[in-house]
Amino acid sequence: MSLGSFHRGLTPGLSPRGSGPGSFPEMKGSRYGENLMRGLRKLSISSFPLILVASVVHSWWLLNQYTVGPFVCIEWCPIEAAAAIVSMLCLSMVFADVVLYVWVDDAFVRTRKKTVQLHYLVEILAREPLCMLFHTMYFPQYGYRPLLTFWACDVGANVILLLLPTLYGLTRRRLSCRKASWRHAMSQMSTAIIMSFILFGVNITIFDPRDAFLVVNNGYYVIKYIEIFVIWKLALTQGMDDVFFQIFWEAQLGITLLGMFVVWVVIPWQHNRNNQSQQMSAPPLPQLSRLLPNGELSSDDFSLARRRGLFAASPSAAQRAQALLELQSVRGPQASGVRGRTISRINSKARLELLVDVLEALCLYSQTQSSRNKPSLARFLVADVLWSFVLPWVGQYQDGEGGIIDLQMLDAELGSVLIRRRSTKTVTAQSVYIAIISHGTQIELVEDDAAGKIAGTYDGKCTRFSDERRTVWKRCESQESIATSTASSSTDGIAIEGSFSDDSFNTSEVLHLVLTQLLLAVRWEPTFLGSGPKVEELAEGVVATVDASQRPILSFLIRYGIGSQDLELVSEIYWSLWCLSQDTQDNNDSAYENARWVLIESLQGRIEFWDGVRGLRLGHTLDKQSGDADFCRTALHLLIQQGALWRQSMLLANLAVNVQGDAFERTKAVRHQLSEWRDIELGQTLPEDHYISPPVPPLKPINLVKPGGDDFISTPIDPGIRFNGVDINRCQVLSSSTAPLILSCWKEPLGDRPPEVAKYMVKLGDDLRQDQLVLQMLHLMGLVWKESLPAEEHEMLRFLPYKTRAMTPNAGYVKFVPGAVSLSKALGESHGDLSAWLNAHCPPEMSMEQVLSNLCGSTAAYCVATYVLGIGDRHLDNLQITPEGHFFHIDFGFIFGEDPKPFAPRLRLPQPVASVLLQATGNAENTLLDKCFLLAGRAYIALRRSMPLWVSLLRVTGHAGGAGCPRLKANADAAVVVVMDRLRADLGSHAEEEAASEFLVVLGESTEALYPVLTDKVHQLGLFWK
């Protein structure tokens, strides 16, 4: 996420718009003069209804004097005429301001304001008096019926002009795509009718370069000049040929000819001159339906249709067949088995299958009612599976006596392993026996009848046994032996990892992908501590026990977080449980508070985990030999310090909300408070959580300005990154009704580079858990594409999701993406030319080819993801772009088909982005836009083949209270239906190409749609009004 257009004028040191390299044309004059003119434009636009009524009244009064009888007040005629002319002049200025600052904001209109004002003045003078004359001629005899008929015919003609490209494209599409196309046509129809009401009086689209208005701009003035001729002939039949009307018609003829000259000579000439003087200006976006696999138009026909301004159809049948053949190469779970694949692919594939298995098990767990079956189901299908994944046993070990232990998995579900033991000193027959693994870290084996059963504990590096000799098996570090044991450990198609892979999706990351659902599932576990050993058997300091057989999921999360000594994981678990326990709308919030208590007590060394079924201690969490005690103390200190930073952030955010005044005054108050904290000495840092005991000795005092000391301190949203304090002069409050606070935190210095800051938003009043859910699903989609598509394609399909951390159900952190700006701001800075913005901001270490490649892949990825998840409210301020070309979405407040606007499109591919891709050539034949469509189609098929993953995830989340998503909480099945409908589950696996074709139809239609253009203009008007 980025600051977008909010930080303009607040942050010191920012260069003004239009300065520096890569600047764009800007208004002349001082800042105060610009603000004054902006205020005058707001006043003129707000006075539009009054100006329109005045213009109509004055014109009607004058014409009525000459048509219905002798003058009643002839001495008032010059005054009325002057008033009518002035009102029309004001009306033309209003339309010119709307076009210049709201409707169109590109280099052409900004540098030719006088042409724009002249055009609208001439158009209004040529249009309005004739309409009033037509009305006054027939009003005495027929009333309003002639005017209404004239209005209906004109609006109907405008609607036809606006819909002609859509109607042409609709007739070219296959029957399988008609459902989506007719929905698009209805949206186009409603938008065209709304716009035609405006086009009845004046053409506000003439300066808009969008191809959607190409036909309108070519036919609009032909129809209007025909109407002028018809009204003139009708006036002659009514006997209006006296001296006044001769002068009137001569003036109208001169104004009409001047209008023709401006429309058909001046404006095209200036457009051609502008294109010659600015090499970076973007050409109009051609129609995109030629990229969809549904038509039969040849390339020659396409060129002819493009010159005529009509929608072109798709490539030839041979090209379409080749595209569909490429789509068929997408791999999926049903494409092939695990056998025969390379080791890395087997391991990676097993990760995706493991996620599906865990989510389906959690879904079954949520619906199980039996108190006896529930713990067993969670233990065998969830906890044990996760343990075998994050803590792989398979491999070779040194037994400490010169022998080698070779451990192979026999049955992953039952936990049975095969152990071969051989000596390296003497050549003897190797001993073979069976062992059982339970709870991820426990192993039970019988070497011989005399020794009996021996139990051991595994920590990822070595296995310690409880026999008399205190045997320790140390894991071999040889990657060759690990790979060999991994290759031989696949039994009956079950892939078991032998080591942590250096893959981009490593073990920890995969666990984070389902961490939300695992924490939500804690609500279904019993909250009692369970049966433990006798009191005299408890370790020193332990006050309670947790039965891992009854609470397997919570036990796994806590034991793995502490055992792996992962500070980020422990921090994420704690703050997620904190947020869930603060949700008063959830009837199970006490279960999450109990789980938080168990986590804190485990870190403080006062809880032990036991296996109540076997009566085994699962290892003391504060084992001195493994260093868990130091880690737990560090984790507790970190949680206390993170709580202190969050409390101070909330104090500043509430201060910003309560200060009276604008964003400047609120920013001033926040900076003043930070300056006071810098200059005063604070007391010791105390825990915010009453479950955490105050540390001894006390922690050093910290605040947002002075983190203090050399100890590692981090924020809850970035627990793995050191917090170095905030830059007071760059902290600010955004201009919004909720007054969100921006904290600019210093980054770690890199060499001789000047210090940089990372920006975080402290947001009040919004539940960020829904954003977290969407971002989680985006990460999962990236994993699906990684496992299903070739490397060169999934590397392009990259998301750039921003970080969020919901601290409470109505407050949290949002981290901004460095350098990212909203698409509306980028278009505003470049006056509508996104290609010019990318060229001006391209990093020196990157080429434009790399930037455009990033734009192509990220656009395809987000188009597929937002369509499948039904994400709505996609205006230009919710679409972001970085100088590196990464395109991404923010603010997921409306998902699963919800949208605050009626008839909103199901997908949004902005035309400026498509225009940039269309200009870039991917190879000798295709553009990057063709590649974007191909990537999107293949990514869509990959998500469709992984449909069980999305269905299980949404159902688990919905059954667990929705995770802050009202739609899931109210009816999880309805949200699942939306996703399955977007993936066309009804077509079955045999119709993948048909489903992909329908998706590509929707994708192409999104670049042609009128409705997003209209809603963007309304949104832009609201921003202009602020």
Side-chain angles (χ1 to χ4, degrees):
M1 188 175 181
S2 70
L3 289 179
S5 60
F6 295 112
H7 69 279
R8 189 181 304 159
L10 283 177
T11 306
L14 291 180
S15 59
R17 210 172 117 185
S19 64
S23 60
F24 303 95
E26 188 49 75
M27 297 175 55
K28 299 179 180 179
S30 65
R31 174 184 175 185
Y32 299 101
E34 182 178 348
N35 290 337
L36 177 61
M37 293 303 298
R38 188 181 184 90
L40 292 176
R41 295 186 197 104
K42 291 181 179 180
L43 179 62
S44 67
I45 294 176
S46 62
S47 304
F48 168 73
L50 180 61
I51 296 173
L52 180 61
V53 171
S55 176
V56 171
V57 170
H58 292 308
S59 301
W60 179 84
W61 189 90
L62 280 173
L63 293 174
N64 189 63
Q65 293 296 317
Y66 286 95
T67 55
V68 300
F71 297 129
V72 178
C73 300
I74 193 171
E75 65 275 8
W76 290 98
C77 289
I79 299 176
E80 289 291 333
I85 294 175
V86 170
S87 61
M88 292 182 188
L89 178 62
C90 293
L91 195 62
S92 65
M93 295 181 65
V94 169
F95 280 108
D97 285 340
V98 170
V99 171
L100 283 169
Y101 302 102
V102 177
W103 191 270
V104 181
D105 188 13
D106 59 15
F108 179 80
V109 298
R110 281 295 184 97
T111 56
R112 289 164 177 81
K113 298 178 184 178
K114 294 182 179 179
T115 301
V116 176
Q117 293 172 345
L118 174 64
H119 164 74
Y120 284 109
L121 175 61
V122 173
E123 184 169 337
I124 290 174
L125 290 175
R127 179 72 172 169
E128 185 181 333
L130 287 178
C131 293
M132 292 298 101
L133 176 63
F134 179 81
H135 176 60
T136 53
M137 285 191 305
Y138 294 101
F139 180 76
Q141 186 176 1
Y142 299 104
Y144 288 98
R145 284 178 295 174
L147 180 63
L148 292 177
T149 302
F150 172 61
W151 172 82
C153 294
D154 185 88
V155 168
N158 293 331
V159 170
I160 292 176
L161 289 176
L162 287 170
L163 293 181
L164 189 59
T166 303
L167 295 175
Y168 181 80
L170 186 64
T171 59
R172 302 293 303 179
R173 289 180 181 139
R174 297 183 303 179
L175 292 177
S176 61
C177 302
R178 290 293 175 84
K179 179 180 178 181
S181 298
W182 279 115
R183 173 173 176 170
H184 170 68
M186 294 302 297
S187 176
Q188 293 284 83
M189 173 71 74
S190 59
T191 308
I193 293 175
I194 295 174
M195 294 188 63
S196 296
F197 293 163
I198 305 175
L199 294 176
F200 174 76
V202 65
N203 183 13
I204 60 174
T205 67
I206 185 173
F207 295 102
D208 197 320
R210 289 178 177 82
D211 208 48
F213 303 126
L214 180 62
V215 177
V216 176
N217 293 332
N218 288 337
Y220 179 85
Y221 290 100
V222 175
I223 295 176
K224 293 302 178 285
Y225 294 142
I226 292 176
E227 292 176 355
I228 292 175
F229 177 78
V230 172
I231 294 175
W232 175 65
K233 295 295 292 183
L234 292 175
L236 294 180
T237 59
Q238 297 294 324
M240 295 182 179
D241 53 359
D242 54 13
V243 177
F244 169 78
F245 282 105
Q246 288 180 1
I247 298 174
F248 175 82
W249 287 116
E250 290 174 359
Q252 285 298 118
L253 178 61
I255 293 174
T256 302
L257 293 176
L258 178 60
M260 291 181 177
F261 180 75
V262 171
V263 171
W264 288 332
V265 178
V266 175
I267 295 179
W269 174 73
Q270 290 188 348
H271 267 298
N272 293 332
R273 185 179 178 184
N274 183 74
N275 293 335
Q276 294 175 2
S277 61
Q278 297 184 6
Q279 298 180 359
M280 296 170 62
S281 61
L285 176 65
Q287 305 298 340
L288 303 178
S289 53
R290 67 187 180 92
L291 301 173
L292 306 180
N294 44 33
E296 298 293 341
L297 211 61
S298 65
S299 58
D300 296 336
D301 294 333
F302 165 71
S303 302
L304 178 61
R306 180 178 177 180
R307 289 195 297 269
R308 292 176 178 176
L310 301 176
F311 269 58
S314 61
S316 63
Q319 292 172 328
R320 183 173 70 251
Q322 181 180 1
L324 293 181
L325 182 61
E326 292 175 342
L327 288 175
Q328 289 176 345
S329 66
V330 179
R331 293 187 297 269
Q334 72 275 24
S336 62
V338 178
R339 295 183 178 223
R341 312 289 284 275
T342 62
I343 296 300
S344 60
R345 179 57 62 183
I346 290 176
N347 293 339
S348 300
K349 195 65 181 178
R351 296 172 184 175
L352 184 58
E353 294 174 351
L354 178 138
L355 292 178
V356 177
D357 293 343
V358 169
L359 289 173
E360 288 184 346
L362 289 176
C363 188
L364 179 62
Y365 181 46
S366 66
Q367 298 176 343
T368 303
Q369 301 299 324
S370 172
S371 59
R372 295 183 59 188
N373 294 335
K374 213 166 189 177
S376 301
L377 189 150
R379 183 168 67 253
F380 292 119
L381 298 185
V382 180
D384 285 352
V385 172
L386 289 172
W387 273 120
S388 64
F389 175 70
V390 301
L391 200 64
W393 288 71
V394 175
Q396 292 184 348
Y397 301 81
Q398 298 175 355
D399 63 359
E401 299 176 355
I404 297 297
I405 305 297
D406 189 7
L407 191 149
Q408 298 180 12
M409 184 68 66
L410 294 178
D411 192 322
E413 294 183 359
L414 298 178
S416 58
V417 294
L418 177 66
I419 298 178
R420 294 187 178 93
R421 187 171 186 171
R422 66 180 186 274
S423 175
T424 58
K425 297 180 179 179
T426 59
V427 181
T428 58
Q430 62 179 0
S431 56
V432 180
Y433 42 88
I434 303 296
I436 300 296
I437 296 174
S438 61
H439 294 284
T441 61
Q442 304 304 123
I443 186 171
E444 295 178 287
L445 57 90
V446 178
E447 290 185 321
D448 53 62
D449 296 337
K453 183 175 67 174
I454 304 176
T457 302
Y458 179 56
D459 61 5
K461 297 180 181 179
C462 58
T463 304
R464 296 182 175 88
F465 290 92
S466 59
D467 57 349
E468 296 179 354
R469 297 177 296 173
R470 296 294 178 181
T471 305
V472 177
W473 292 355
K474 292 184 178 181
R475 190 178 184 88
C476 297
E477 297 296 335
S478 173
Q479 296 299 321
E480 180 179 356
S481 63
I482 293 176
T484 304
S485 63
T486 305
S488 63
S489 63
S490 180
T491 304
D492 296 332
I494 299 175
I496 303 298
E497 290 193 3
S499 66
F500 294 104
S501 173
D502 57 355
D503 213 342
S504 59
F505 284 95
N506 56 37
T507 302
S508 178
E509 287 183 271
V510 174
L511 178 61
H512 278 75
L513 291 179
V514 291
L515 183 60
T516 299
Q517 283 65 41
L518 292 174
L519 289 171
L520 289 173
V522 171
R523 68 193 290 131
W524 299 311
E525 294 186 335
T527 57
F528 61 88
L529 297 180
S531 58
K534 299 179 181 179
V535 177
E536 55 271 15
E537 295 182 12
L538 294 177
E540 181 180 357
V542 175
V543 298
T545 61
V546 171
D547 188 352
S549 64
Q550 296 297 314
R551 308 185 72 175
I553 297 177
L554 180 62
S555 300
F556 163 75
L557 293 174
I558 295 177
R559 293 180 59 221
Y560 175 71
I562 296 177
S564 62
Q565 299 188 5
D566 191 340
L567 274 177
E568 294 186 44
L569 180 61
V570 171
S571 175
E572 187 171 353
I573 292 174
Y574 174 80
W575 290 112
S576 297
L577 292 175
W578 173 277
C579 179
L580 291 169
S581 63
Q582 302 296 314
D583 190 358
T584 58
Q585 302 298 322
D586 189 354
N587 296 329
N588 294 92
D589 58 337
S590 60
Y592 300 116
E593 184 167 3
N594 177 271
R596 194 179 87 241
W597 176 82
V598 173
L599 173 62
I600 294 300
E601 293 298 314
S602 299
L603 292 174
Q604 295 179 144
R606 295 201 285 258
I607 279 192
E608 263 189 355
F609 293 91
W610 282 72
D611 181 358
V613 176
R614 295 182 176 89
L616 296 176
R617 175 185 287 165
L618 300 181
H620 190 209
T621 57
L622 300 188
D623 189 351
K624 300 293 184 181
Q625 297 180 0
S626 62
D628 286 344
D630 294 336
F631 169 78
C632 290
R633 183 166 52 253
T634 302
L636 278 173
H637 292 177
L638 180 63
L639 296 179
I640 294 173
Q641 293 161 341
Q642 288 178 347
L645 294 178
W646 169 245
R647 179 179 57 83
Q648 295 170 23
S649 301
M650 286 294 294
L651 290 175
L652 290 178
N654 287 317
L655 174 64
V657 172
N658 296 327
V659 169
Q660 300 296 326
D662 57 6
F664 179 80
E665 295 295 332
R666 293 172 174 174
T667 299
K668 184 178 179 181
V670 168
R671 292 177 180 176
H672 177 72
Q673 181 64 62
L674 287 172
S675 300
E676 289 185 352
W677 288 350
R678 178 187 56 191
D679 300 332
I680 64 175
E681 291 295 334
L682 300 178
Q684 62 175 325
T685 303
L686 298 176
E688 297 294 320
D689 193 337
H690 61 276
Y691 293 141
I692 303 179
S693 302
V696 178
L699 296 178
K700 297 179 181 179
I702 63 168
N703 60 30
L704 290 171
V705 184
K706 298 186 297 184
D710 297 329
D711 296 338
F712 179 80
I713 301 174
S714 62
T715 58
I717 189 174
D718 265 336
I721 298 178
R722 177 183 291 274
F723 175 72
N724 297 305
V726 300
D727 182 3
I728 298 178
N729 293 328
R730 298 191 190 182
C731 295
Q732 58 182 333
V733 180
L734 302 185
S735 178
S736 175
S737 58
T738 57
L741 170 66
I742 302 300
L743 296 177
S744 298
C745 304
W746 292 109
K747 292 183 178 180
E748 287 286 337
L750 298 176
D752 298 333
R753 294 183 181 180
E756 299 179 351
V757 297
K759 295 183 180 292
Y760 299 87
M761 175 192 292
V762 181
K763 201 170 185 180
L764 303 181
D766 290 335
D767 194 342
L768 296 178
R769 288 179 295 171
Q770 180 165 298
D771 285 52
Q772 288 182 184
L773 176 63
V774 174
L775 294 175
Q776 177 198 9
M777 299 187 73
L778 295 185
H779 281 291
L780 284 170
M781 290 179 182
L783 179 59
V784 169
W785 292 333
K786 181 177 179 60
E787 309 310 331
S788 304
L789 299 175
E792 62 274 9
E793 293 184 357
H794 75 70
E795 289 176 357
M796 289 189 66
L797 290 166
R798 288 184 177 180
F799 290 113
L800 192 64
Y802 56 96
K803 281 188 176 182
T804 60
R805 168 54 58 199
M807 303 297 292
T808 67
N810 59 359
Y813 286 108
V814 177
K815 184 178 181 180
F816 291 86
V817 176
V821 299
S822 65
L823 196 57
S824 62
K825 182 182 179 182
L827 294 174
E829 290 180 352
S830 60
H831 304 298
D833 192 346
L834 185 60
S835 179
W837 188 89
L838 291 172
N839 275 283
H841 295 81
C842 179
E845 66 275 8
M846 294 184 64
S847 64
M848 274 302 297
E849 182 179 356
Q850 294 173 310
V851 171
L852 294 176
S853 177
N854 291 337
L855 181 64
C856 174
S858 57
T859 300
Y862 274 97
C863 284
V864 176
T866 54
Y867 174 76
V868 171
L869 298 181
I871 298 175
D873 196 24
R874 297 297 89 197
H875 54 75
L876 295 182
D877 280 335
N878 283 344
L879 309 178
Q880 305 276 310
I881 193 168
T882 67
E884 295 80 14
H886 293 289
F887 172 80
F888 63 100
H889 291 238
I890 63 171
D891 192 4
F892 305 112
F894 297 89
I895 59 177
F896 304 128
E898 294 181 334
D899 200 291
K901 302 177 292 293
F903 308 108
R906 295 179 291 175
L907 180 60
R908 185 73 193 275
L909 173 57
Q911 290 188 5
V913 175
S915 178
V916 173
L917 297 177
L918 191 63
Q919 297 173 57
T921 303
N923 50 49
E925 299 179 356
N926 300 322
T927 66
L928 283 182
L929 190 58
D930 297 274
K931 189 171 185 179
C932 177
F933 270 65
L934 177 61
L935 284 173
R938 293 167 63 80
Y940 175 83
I941 289 182
L943 295 187
R944 191 172 183 272
R945 291 181 176 178
S946 59
M947 197 180 306
L949 176 64
W950 320 118
V951 173
S952 300
L953 186 144
L954 294 178
R955 283 179 175 164
V956 170
T957 307
H959 295 165
C965 178
R967 185 76 180 271
L968 282 177
K969 183 177 182 180
N971 190 350
D973 291 336
V976 171
V977 168
V978 171
V979 175
M980 294 181 67
D981 179 67
R982 296 293 175 93
L983 293 173
R984 293 308 308 270
D986 57 303
L987 294 179
S989 60
H990 60 281
E992 289 180 339
E993 291 79 9
E994 184 177 354
S997 298
E998 293 190 16
F999 164 70
L1000 292 178
V1001 167
V1002 178
L1003 180 59
E1005 288 172 345
S1006 68
T1007 63
E1008 310 160 354
L1010 298 173
Y1011 187 82
V1013 176
L1014 185 61
T1015 55
D1016 283 341
K1017 300 312 175 184
V1018 174
H1019 180 76
Q1020 194 168 342
L1021 178 62
L1023 295 179
F1024 173 79
W1025 209 259
K1026 290 183 178 180

